[in-house]
Amino acid sequence: MSKTKLGVIFGGMSTENEVSIMSAKSILENLNKEKYDVYPIYISKDGNWYKGNQSQEKITNIVEYLQNLDIIFPVLHGLYGEDGTIQGLLELLKKPYVGCRSTCL
């Protein structure tokens, strides 16, 4: 049985970048590695996306990269994270994700 490919997005362009990193670290340490292939995705303060953490390879086509994952776990705080922005992107890509939708109906 294949594992679910889980993308964990953290960091971000908000002033809460460091808080997001700490939150993601806790989540990444506690995910069931037998059930999930985990793909950490770091967003720098200037909006660049990276595989792993800020010292890893830059993602040049984030849409293509996200399309190859099964589910996304956004761990972003503040602007562009808790305001529905990332959820809207994931909804446009029709990617399932952890958390609330971008709008309340």
Side-chain angles (χ1 to χ4, degrees):
M1 179 181 240
S2 65
K3 296 182 198 178
T4 300
K5 293 188 272 184
L6 172 67
V8 178
I9 302 176
F10 63 98
M13 297 188 300
S14 83
T15 58
E16 297 187 51
N17 178 289
E18 291 82 10
V19 176
S20 174
I21 293 170
M22 292 183 340
S23 297
K25 182 179 179 199
S26 177
I27 290 167
L28 291 166
E29 289 172 355
N30 289 288
L31 285 169
N32 183 343
K33 305 300 187 295
E34 293 179 16
K35 185 174 180 178
Y36 300 106
D37 279 330
V38 181
Y39 296 80
I41 303 167
Y42 173 73
I43 303 174
S44 66
K45 289 182 181 181
D46 60 359
N48 291 309
W49 297 56
Y50 296 90
K51 297 176 185 178
N53 60 44
Q54 55 268 47
S55 64
Q56 298 294 322
E57 179 184 348
K58 188 174 181 179
I59 301 171
T60 56
N61 186 335
I62 189 58
V63 170
E64 182 179 301
Y65 190 80
L66 293 174
Q67 290 291 16
N68 290 314
L69 302 174
D70 297 316
I71 188 166
I72 310 298
F73 194 151
V75 189
L76 298 166
H77 300 293
L79 190 62
Y80 306 115
E82 294 174 317
D83 62 356
T85 303
I86 193 72
Q87 294 86 345
L89 170 64
L90 298 173
E91 288 169 13
L92 284 170
L93 297 176
K94 296 183 171 69
K95 295 307 297 180
Y97 60 90
V98 176
C100 299
R101 293 176 36 204
S102 62
T103 60
C104 297
L105 301 176

